[in-house]
Amino acid sequence: QRLIVVEGLVDGGMSKLHEALPRATIAEKDQATTKVFSNPEVLFTTRLYTSFEVDLKMIRLRNPLAAILKTPDIYNRANVSVDCFNTLHRLGEVKRANRMRTLKVM
């Protein structure tokens, strides 16, 4: 499974992305497994992710995210940092969400 998160200025790169790759085009690929969260009315005041410059970064998990989230070890602060736990938890919430507004209140 893949999860792609793209953030940017609503009047900048994000509007260009929406023009070049409309939601209908993305959904045609595989409607059963593809979710696109985009709502220009839902804006975030702070950035949740660190700056990765302009390149896409691929982060591969050894096990499926759902399996990792069920593992008791991720709650042990000696093994997993708070930042890592929060990131994994938020990614799980993104995968479960059905609407952009749901993600906004996370």
Side-chain angles (χ1 to χ4, degrees):
Q1 295 179 339
R2 288 185 169 79
L3 174 64
I4 300 170
V5 176
V6 179
E7 65 175 12
L9 299 174
V10 70
D11 294 329
M14 293 307 293
S15 63
K16 292 176 186 175
L17 178 66
H18 291 296
E19 288 173 17
L21 197 59
R23 181 185 306 224
T25 303
I26 297 169
E28 286 174 7
K29 300 290 181 189
D30 190 351
Q31 293 180 351
T33 61
T34 302
K35 294 182 199 177
V36 176
F37 296 113
S38 172
N39 185 338
E41 295 175 8
V42 177
L43 304 175
F44 296 87
T45 56
T46 58
R47 185 180 198 128
L48 291 179
Y49 310 99
T50 60
S51 177
F52 282 139
E53 303 302 327
V54 295
D55 295 333
L56 292 176
K57 299 291 181 185
M58 184 176 3
I59 300 169
R60 182 177 295 252
L61 301 175
R62 288 185 182 160
N63 297 313
L65 181 60
I68 293 171
L69 292 173
K70 291 177 184 174
T71 305
D73 290 341
I74 70 165
Y75 298 94
N76 183 343
R77 292 295 160 253
N79 294 336
V80 178
S81 71
V82 172
D83 288 339
C84 183
F85 170 79
N86 288 337
T87 301
L88 291 169
H89 179 71
R90 286 180 178 154
L91 287 173
E93 292 295 318
V94 168
K95 292 204 49 106
R96 283 188 289 277
N98 289 318
R99 300 184 56 82
M100 185 70 166
R101 291 199 187 279
T102 305
L103 299 175
K104 173 77 173 177
V105 297
M106 248 179 36

